[in-house]
Amino acid sequence: MSGISWSNAWYQYSRGLKDIENEVIVVDNNSTDGSAAMINNKFPGVILIKNSSNAGFGAANNQALKIAGGENILFLNPDTVLQETTISGCLAFMDKHPEAGAAGVKMIDGKGRFLPESKRGLPTPKTAFYRISGLYKIFPRSEKFNSYYMGHLPEIDVQEIEVLTGAFFLTRREVLEETGHFDESFFMYGEDIDLSYRILNKGYKIYYLPEPSIIHYKGESTARGTLNYILHFYKAMIIFNRKHFAGNRIKLFSWMINMAIFSRGAISYLKSLARTLVLPAADFLVFYLSYIFVSGLWEKYYFNGEAQYPDILKKTILPLYVLVWVISIALFKGYKKPLQIPKGITGILAGTVFILVVYALLPLELRFSRALIILGLVMSLIDFFLIRLIAGFAGIIKVQGVSNRERKAVIVSNPGEYEKIRQIINTADIPYRLCGRVNLSGSESKHDSLGKLENIKEIIRVNNIDEVIFSSSDLSAGEIIELMKMLAGSSVSKKIARTDSDYVIGSKSKLLPGEINSLRMGKII
């Protein structure tokens, strides 16, 4: 059977290569998480290239290619999980299709959802514009507006496509000898597009295979959708078009991309500004309404119900007091996440001192009542604490010292592995409560079992589960992927536990789409 060189990967070394002549080459781009040492200790058969700096995606893979000896070459990201049949299935397809210059597979993310970058088109000026501007999201099935992700092609069928992602890129050595290796002028993004284009130009076909699928956690250094990602993507598209096209097309492309980046940058800035101002605006509104209420009560009590305060107090002076408190909270980093209540309280107290000092310097006609300032201080402190207490417990914002809703987890495993995973979790600082186990055996087990695997959706619903942890010792990668697909419509997070290496792999949040959590020594790294 054809040999295979496997660059940039280590996780599936022990699976899927048993009956295939292979070599595994890992290029470490100056990582700081101890993964290089882990590879040396747990995978002594792996060829490790350790760089003293980040050489970039293309350059690192070219390093591996220089020493690779296989007839078939698979470029694979480290944040992927393969089925046991992934490599053998892809090699069989390549053997049956000599016209195939490269092949990729269907990828799902850490929640079981299809990743559109599994099949892509060439980034023409219009295609890149629709991609960067976000228009492709409005017309996801349009051949015109979503040609970048080939949204018109069904994801369940084998398809001829134009671009493979570098996360899983299978090609032949003879093809690379014709096309050349990765272009190292692309430091981040675009290398796979450039190589795909050169493969097509040599008359080969590129295929998307719906089965077997893999998990890609997308743990990238630049989060997709951010302005920083857009800028990197823009640079890669410019390099690609300057390299392969010329003349007026480049001018048109640059203009369209600049317009797309400007619009995305403006939207990104406005969203960021809105998120930043939500809590200060809420503080201002609640503080002011409370202040109006308490000033009315004070006026009624102290002056026996007679109106004594002019409109300028409620319309100008009180809003200025509240604004000083909000600004002071910000100056004392009371809005810095995670929110720290003591810093905010310090800000309110400092703001009160400032108000009292300024009050003493005002003309007599503007000095209405020191008592009102103190009453406003008391109400602001109460409101400040209540807003954060309620929002913290509701899980809307993270407040230090205020418990958010406890996340619940369930383990899908047999009793033996359940105990191992439970012990690891108990020694690690993981913010969720373990509710029990989904039983894998045919007969019902009472050992912390919440029910059978066939009823997993009902178990998640009834127990209000937030996180599902699959045991890789009891389930094959293929079985885990199918279960993740089945649960793709639910909001629960999915992770994979490996008790032999003390690792839990999974997606953490929207802001951090990929992670590898090391539970060794009871810590998450």
Side-chain angles (χ1 to χ4, degrees):
M1 184 173 287
S2 300
I4 183 167
S5 295
W6 189 5
S7 109
N8 268 1
W10 54 265
Y11 181 63
Q12 292 296 316
Y13 173 60
S14 60
R15 295 183 175 184
L17 293 174
K18 186 184 301 182
D19 300 321
I20 301 173
E21 181 184 354
N22 69 87
E23 61 180 352
V24 179
I25 304 172
V26 175
V27 182
D28 182 276
N29 263 339
N30 195 31
S31 66
T32 58
D33 59 359
S35 55
M38 181 274 295
I39 291 172
N40 277 330
N41 293 333
K42 292 188 174 290
F43 302 93
V46 168
I47 302 170
L48 176 64
I49 300 174
K50 196 171 186 327
N51 292 327
S52 58
S53 61
N54 188 351
F57 178 84
N61 277 297
N62 286 343
Q63 286 179 272
L65 280 171
K66 289 178 181 178
I67 62 173
E71 299 171 16
N72 296 284
I73 309 292
L74 173 61
F75 302 104
L76 185 67
N77 271 22
D79 54 351
T80 56
V81 178
L82 278 60
Q83 296 188 42
E84 288 74 12
T85 59
T86 298
I87 296 175
S88 59
C90 289
L91 288 176
F93 180 88
M94 296 291 281
D95 288 342
K96 290 180 182 178
H97 295 80
E99 79 282 3
V105 296
K106 177 179 179 178
M107 301 185 296
I108 63 172
D109 66 10
K111 290 186 178 294
R113 300 169 299 196
F114 173 71
L115 289 174
E117 56 264 38
S118 301
K119 49 182 178 65
R120 292 184 293 173
L122 289 171
T124 63
K126 287 185 179 180
T127 299
F129 174 78
Y130 296 145
R131 165 67 182 83
I132 294 178
S133 65
L135 283 172
Y136 76 100
K137 293 182 179 179
I138 303 175
F139 308 100
R141 299 297 178 188
S142 169
E143 184 175 359
K144 177 180 179 181
F145 292 105
N146 197 18
S147 56
Y148 184 83
Y149 289 126
M150 292 192 157
H152 61 290
L153 298 179
E155 64 189 60
I156 60 174
D157 299 324
V158 174
Q159 304 284 356
E160 282 189 39
I161 60 174
E162 295 174 332
V163 174
L164 288 179
T165 177
F168 186 103
F169 195 120
L170 177 63
T171 185
R172 309 178 198 271
R173 172 175 293 280
E174 62 185 70
V175 172
L176 292 174
E177 288 174 352
E178 290 185 56
T179 63
H181 297 173
F182 283 107
D183 186 340
E184 297 181 14
S185 61
F186 297 88
F187 180 81
M188 183 185 298
Y189 309 120
E191 304 96 333
D192 45 9
I193 298 174
D194 176 69
L195 182 55
S196 296
Y197 184 74
R198 285 185 275 134
I199 290 173
L200 291 175
N201 277 349
K202 291 296 182 180
Y204 293 102
K205 293 182 178 180
I206 297 176
Y207 286 97
Y208 157 82
L209 310 179
E211 292 294 339
S213 54
I214 69 170
I215 304 172
H216 181 207
Y217 286 108
K218 299 173 66 174
E220 300 160 342
S221 58
T222 303
R224 293 180 182 270
T226 63
L227 183 58
N228 193 29
Y229 165 74
I230 296 298
L231 291 173
H232 279 293
F233 182 81
Y234 158 77
K235 182 179 178 181
M237 295 305 96
I238 289 292
I239 294 173
F240 175 79
N241 276 266
R242 282 178 177 168
K243 178 177 178 179
H244 297 291
F245 308 109
N248 292 330
R249 178 165 181 168
I250 273 295
K251 294 180 181 179
L252 173 64
F253 180 82
S254 297
W255 179 83
M256 294 180 72
I257 295 301
N258 278 316
M259 288 298 295
I261 285 179
F262 175 78
S263 61
R264 283 296 292 270
I267 293 171
S268 177
Y269 175 76
L270 291 174
K271 284 183 177 179
S272 176
L273 183 63
R275 285 193 297 265
T276 302
L277 295 179
V278 165
L279 187 56
D283 281 344
F284 183 90
L285 180 62
V286 175
F287 289 2
Y288 178 63
L289 292 177
S290 296
Y291 216 163
I292 292 292
F293 175 74
V294 76
S295 65
L297 287 180
W298 177 255
E299 188 178 32
K300 182 178 180 180
Y301 168 76
Y302 194 75
F303 297 106
N304 297 319
E306 296 182 13
Q308 295 291 322
Y309 298 133
D311 288 343
I312 191 175
L313 176 70
K314 295 181 179 180
K315 293 181 178 180
T316 305
I317 302 299
L318 296 188
L320 285 174
Y321 288 169
V322 172
L323 183 61
V324 168
W325 282 320
V326 171
I327 292 174
S328 189
I329 292 171
L331 291 175
F332 280 82
K333 299 183 179 179
Y335 293 117
K336 185 177 180 180
K337 298 177 182 179
L339 301 178
Q340 298 183 37
I341 291 178
K343 289 185 177 181
I345 291 175
T346 302
I348 293 175
L349 294 175
T352 304
V353 172
F354 176 80
I355 291 171
L356 289 171
V357 170
V358 174
Y359 178 88
L361 301 176
L362 292 174
L364 285 174
E365 62 269 20
L366 294 179
R367 291 191 235 165
F368 298 104
S369 173
R370 287 189 178 88
L372 271 184
I373 297 175
I374 302 304
L375 285 173
L377 165 65
V378 173
M379 289 305 300
S380 295
L381 288 172
I382 294 173
D383 291 338
F384 175 85
F385 183 75
L386 287 177
I387 289 171
R388 281 142 185 81
L389 190 67
I390 294 170
F393 276 110
I396 299 173
I397 55 178
K398 187 174 182 180
V399 183
Q400 197 170 63
V402 177
S403 297
N404 295 330
R405 186 181 72 82
E406 188 177 39
R407 291 177 60 82
K408 297 180 179 179
V410 65
I411 296 174
V412 182
S413 71
N414 285 315
E417 284 300 307
Y418 171 77
E419 282 301 319
K420 293 178 183 178
I421 297 171
R422 185 178 65 82
Q423 289 174 15
I424 293 173
I425 289 175
N426 287 341
T427 59
D429 184 20
I430 302 178
Y432 53 66
R433 177 166 63 90
L434 185 58
C435 295
R437 179 177 62 87
V438 175
N439 189 34
L440 292 177
S441 59
S443 59
E444 188 63 57
S445 170
K446 295 182 179 180
H447 188 81
D448 288 324
S449 176
L450 299 175
K452 298 179 182 179
L453 182 60
E454 60 194 62
N455 301 319
I456 186 170
K457 287 186 176 180
E458 186 67 11
I459 292 170
I460 290 171
R461 185 186 67 80
V462 170
N463 294 278
N464 198 21
I465 299 298
D466 300 291
E467 187 130 347
V468 178
I469 303 173
F470 299 102
S471 167
S472 65
S473 297
D474 295 321
L475 292 162
S476 68
E479 290 171 327
I480 292 173
I481 289 173
E482 290 306 312
L483 286 169
M484 290 177 67
K485 289 179 183 177
M486 184 182 70
L487 299 175
S490 67
S491 60
V492 296
S493 299
K494 295 95 176 176
K495 293 187 177 180
I496 302 172
R498 291 176 54 87
T499 56
D500 58 339
S501 59
D502 295 340
Y503 273 88
V504 170
I505 302 177
S507 292
K508 185 176 182 181
S509 69
K510 292 180 181 178
L511 295 178
L512 297 173
E515 68 173 347
I516 296 180
N517 287 347
S518 172
L519 303 184
R520 188 182 292 107
M521 304 299 291
K523 300 175 75 174
I524 300 180
I525 300 176

